Amino acid sequence: MAADNVLIRFFNTVFNVIDTPAAYFREKIVLPNQKKYPWYHQKYRRVPNIDECYTHDIVCYTEANIQFKRDKLVDDEILYILRSRFEECAWYHGSDDMNLCDDIRKTYEDASTAWFMKYGDMGVTLNVKDAYMKQKHRMIWERRHGPVGSGMKEDYKKA
């Protein structure tokens, strides 16, 4: 019995020698300096869009461009996740029950259409000003002719 008592006290002493500095460091330094937000990624504040920047405001343009590229990365990841879900569903159900994957396919196709409307045909040098001009031109086209892909109205073909 006495040997058990000595052995238990020895292990408790070793444990306390190792654990006490680590617990103190965590409680006094790590926890008070830890940022308290429930996200696993860094949350950036939204900067002004390019249409809110003044003409020669380089800083605003640069911030808007960085925000645009960050948004593109997020949209790319969303599209990748949706595509992966559809491929997994199609692989699991095979060609017999493809109608079970129709909801996922429709969601993926809608997201890919929206992605292409925003980022498609922009080339390698992607920037916020070109994307803004593309959006402006698409909106003008839709005002004059209807949805993109429906063709021109007849009265505009004559002029």
Side-chain angles (χ1 to χ4, degrees):
M1 277 299 198
D4 287 341
N5 225 358
V6 172
L7 192 61
I8 290 173
R9 279 191 299 157
F10 173 74
F11 282 129
N12 283 339
T13 305
V14 170
F15 176 78
N16 288 335
V17 165
I18 295 171
D19 184 59
T20 303
Y24 178 81
F25 182 78
R26 177 166 173 77
E27 291 171 1
K28 300 296 182 189
I29 296 173
V30 173
L31 291 178
N33 293 321
Q34 201 170 33
K35 294 181 180 173
K36 304 276 191 267
Y37 55 85
W39 301 283
Y40 295 107
H41 59 277
Q42 185 174 356
K43 186 174 182 181
Y44 296 99
R45 66 175 183 82
R46 298 297 294 186
V47 297
N49 291 331
I50 188 71
D51 59 338
E52 298 171 15
C53 294
Y54 290 110
T55 308
H56 298 293
D57 190 359
I58 301 297
V59 174
C60 183
Y61 171 75
T62 304
E63 286 179 345
N65 201 29
I66 292 170
Q67 180 74 50
F68 174 74
K69 290 180 180 181
R70 194 178 309 129
D71 289 343
K72 183 183 180 304
L73 290 174
V74 170
D75 290 342
D76 288 347
E77 285 299 316
I78 290 170
L79 205 60
Y80 172 76
I81 290 169
L82 290 173
R83 181 174 43 247
S84 297
R85 287 181 183 172
F86 172 66
E87 288 173 352
E88 288 173 7
C89 179
W91 180 258
Y92 182 77
H93 293 294
S95 61
D96 298 332
D97 292 329
M98 278 301 286
N99 56 354
L100 296 174
C101 303
D102 284 344
D103 293 337
I104 299 172
R105 182 182 52 79
K106 174 129 177 55
T107 304
Y108 168 66
E109 286 177 356
D110 291 344
S112 63
T113 301
W115 185 94
F116 192 78
M117 287 170 80
K118 188 171 183 181
Y119 304 110
D121 292 338
M122 298 248 330
V124 178
T125 58
L126 190 69
N127 66 23
V128 69
K129 190 178 280 188
D130 291 342
Y132 184 64
M133 290 298 119
K134 180 180 177 183
Q135 179 185 13
K136 181 188 78 160
H137 294 313
R138 191 186 86 241
M139 290 173 71
I140 291 171
W141 174 272
E142 288 177 347
R143 184 184 306 153
R144 291 181 183 163
H145 305 290
V148 174
S150 62
M152 291 180 67
K153 290 182 180 176
E154 290 296 322
D155 56 341
Y156 277 93
K157 287 184 182 177
K158 294 176 185 173

